[in-house]
Amino acid sequence: MSKPNLVVGVPKEIKNNENRVALTPGGAGMLQMSGHRVLVEAGAGIGSGFSDEDYKQEGATIIAHAAEVWAQSDMIMKVKEPLPAEYGYFKEGQMLFTYLHLAAAGDLAAQLLEKKVTGIAYETIQLPNGSLPLLTPMSEVAGRMSVQIGAHYLEKFYGGRGILLGGVPGVPPADVIILGGGIVGTNAAKMALGLGANVVIIERSADRMRALDDIFGGHLRTLMSNPYNIASAVQKADLLIGAVLIPGARAPRLVTAAMVQSMKPGAVIVDVAVDQGGSIETIDRVTTHSDPTYEKFGVLHYAVANMPGAVPRTSTLALTNVTLPYALELANKGFTQAIAENYTLQLGVNTYKGNVTHPAVAEALGMPYTKLIDLS
């Protein structure tokens, strides 16, 4: 039997209530059929409904401890960025294929650089049209969830205003303000409109606003993004959703503390961009699924960085549909050939040989940027 080309490791996620997994049994089977060896930490897929036996049936090897998975693997596939407890597993030259969000994670970036890990970030892999194929499905999930979550926390029991998002005949619906009209914002608007809310999207691109007007047939309002319009809209919001993303960079702070202070008591903020630093000034901490909210100026703040982890079956299937082809490309061709032949994949490389190789990440971290081509 020929030696496998690559050893691909899938450790269990350890972030609070993160039940997604980076590879399905079917994906493990495809890697195995391509001549690679797949190591899966025991229990890694259980939260998404995949048993260890499911992986075994596809040829994967179940490994009892995370340390062994990391130690034996040439490429690690994860969902969320490594946490400090995992930094000790890093080894030079190892590929790490996951969401990294380094713009808001200086300590993680420093560790990847020190250990000379090849960090390939799902969120900066970018197609020629500017779209982010590996971020899109999770943005769709998070956008839809943001409205469900907001409606939940607007209930009085949870500290909200005691408002039904869609109202009832004779009683007006809630005002939902969405910052950003991209994938997250569009999916949030679909859900909010479906529940009968009044919806406003604040967007900086006139062309995107025209597209949103066509998509929704005039059922929502759009506003040009500027401080005056944002302040005016935020003051009226029952539910404010932050849905702004700049690939690789820190999210821009669009809502000031003073704006939040002007909001109605019991209003709710859900900031989907919290893993990139958040677009709302009062989002000054990341929360977890087990302790998701805090109150500031009488406004309830929801700042969970792994929202799709709450619906892991849907999220894992949606995510792995788009990550697997890139994982196969990296495994089958090797890192050097894969990035040389695929510029889209090349844009995903954030760290390599101890250097920051993505310009937006370097700027956000205040570190030097080195072109990947200069290191190859």
Side-chain angles (χ1 to χ4, degrees):
M1 184 176 176
S2 61
K3 185 179 178 181
N5 295 323
L6 207 71
V7 180
V8 180
V10 183
K12 186 176 181 178
E13 298 295 324
I14 63 170
K15 197 177 185 79
N16 180 283
N17 280 289
E18 179 53 75
N19 291 296
R20 289 174 288 180
V21 64
L23 193 67
T24 64
M30 290 183 69
L31 282 162
Q32 290 277 153
M33 284 189 292
S34 297
H36 310 292
R37 187 177 178 216
V38 179
L39 310 180
V40 178
E41 184 182 353
I46 289 175
S48 295
F50 303 117
S51 68
D52 291 347
E53 187 59 35
D54 292 334
Y55 287 100
K56 285 181 183 178
Q57 288 178 4
E58 295 295 334
T61 302
I62 302 300
I63 302 292
H65 303 294
E68 294 177 49
V69 175
W70 285 83
Q72 295 183 45
S73 299
D74 303 303
M75 178 168 72
I76 291 288
M77 293 186 67
K78 280 179 49 58
V79 177
K80 290 303 292 179
E81 71 284 349
L83 298 181
E86 296 169 298
Y87 294 172
Y89 300 145
F90 295 170
K91 62 182 184 181
E92 184 172 342
Q94 189 172 52
M95 285 187 283
L96 173 61
F97 192 34
T98 186
Y99 288 117
L100 287 173
H101 297 294
L102 294 182
D107 290 346
L108 172 58
Q111 289 291 318
L112 294 174
L113 296 174
E114 182 183 333
K115 302 287 179 62
K116 296 184 179 179
V117 173
T118 301
I120 308 166
Y122 293 164
E123 74 273 8
T124 63
I125 288 176
Q126 191 167 12
L127 295 172
N129 65 4
S131 65
L132 304 167
L134 274 57
L135 193 63
T136 294
M138 295 304 92
S139 295
E140 291 169 336
V141 171
R144 295 180 184 214
M145 283 188 68
S146 67
V147 175
Q148 289 183 194
I149 289 162
H152 178 75
Y153 284 106
L154 277 171
E155 295 176 21
K156 192 68 176 177
F157 179 80
Y158 298 103
R161 298 194 66 219
I163 288 178
L164 183 65
L165 209 64
V168 291
V171 180
D175 289 309
V176 177
I177 309 299
I178 302 169
L179 298 172
I183 300 296
V184 171
T186 301
N187 279 273
K190 287 178 182 177
M191 295 294 283
L193 287 170
L195 290 170
N198 286 326
V199 180
V200 174
I201 290 183
I202 300 176
E203 169 60 45
R204 67 178 181 174
S205 166
D207 285 342
R208 183 58 188 165
M209 285 190 283
R210 293 186 188 100
L212 289 166
D213 194 61
D214 287 341
I215 290 168
F216 293 106
H219 293 294
L220 57 70
R221 290 169 49 223
T222 55
L223 285 175
M224 177 59 74
S225 180
N226 59 54
Y228 177 83
N229 282 342
I230 292 171
S232 177
V234 166
Q235 188 175 17
K236 299 172 185 174
D238 296 301
L239 172 59
L240 173 64
I241 296 172
V244 179
L245 175 76
I246 300 172
R250 196 195 185 289
R253 285 283 171 88
L254 300 178
V255 176
T256 66
M259 292 179 191
V260 174
Q261 216 165 351
S262 76
M263 293 176 73
K264 307 164 189 174
V268 174
I269 295 174
V270 178
D271 196 345
V272 180
V274 67
D275 51 9
Q276 288 287 108
S279 55
I280 291 139
E281 188 177 7
T282 49
I283 297 286
D284 55 9
R285 74 196 80 162
V286 175
T287 62
T288 65
H289 286 294
S290 60
D291 187 17
T293 63
Y294 62 90
E295 178 268 326
K296 201 162 193 176
F297 302 131
V299 175
L300 207 58
H301 293 60
Y302 180 97
V304 175
N306 61 327
M307 289 170 60
V311 286
R313 181 74 178 188
T314 297
S315 297
T316 289
L317 293 172
L319 178 61
T320 55
N321 282 344
V322 292
T323 56
L324 181 60
Y326 291 98
L328 283 165
E329 192 167 354
L330 285 164
N332 291 340
K333 295 180 178 179
F335 174 77
T336 303
Q337 184 182 347
I339 64 164
E341 296 179 0
N342 189 340
Y343 184 67
T344 292
L345 181 58
Q346 189 180 128
L347 292 174
V349 183
N350 285 195
T351 64
Y352 183 57
K353 293 183 177 178
N355 297 271
V356 179
T357 53
H358 192 286
V361 172
E363 182 179 358
L365 294 172
M367 293 180 175
Y369 160 61
T370 304
K371 289 183 179 180
L372 191 56
I373 195 170
D374 294 340
L375 299 168
S376 301

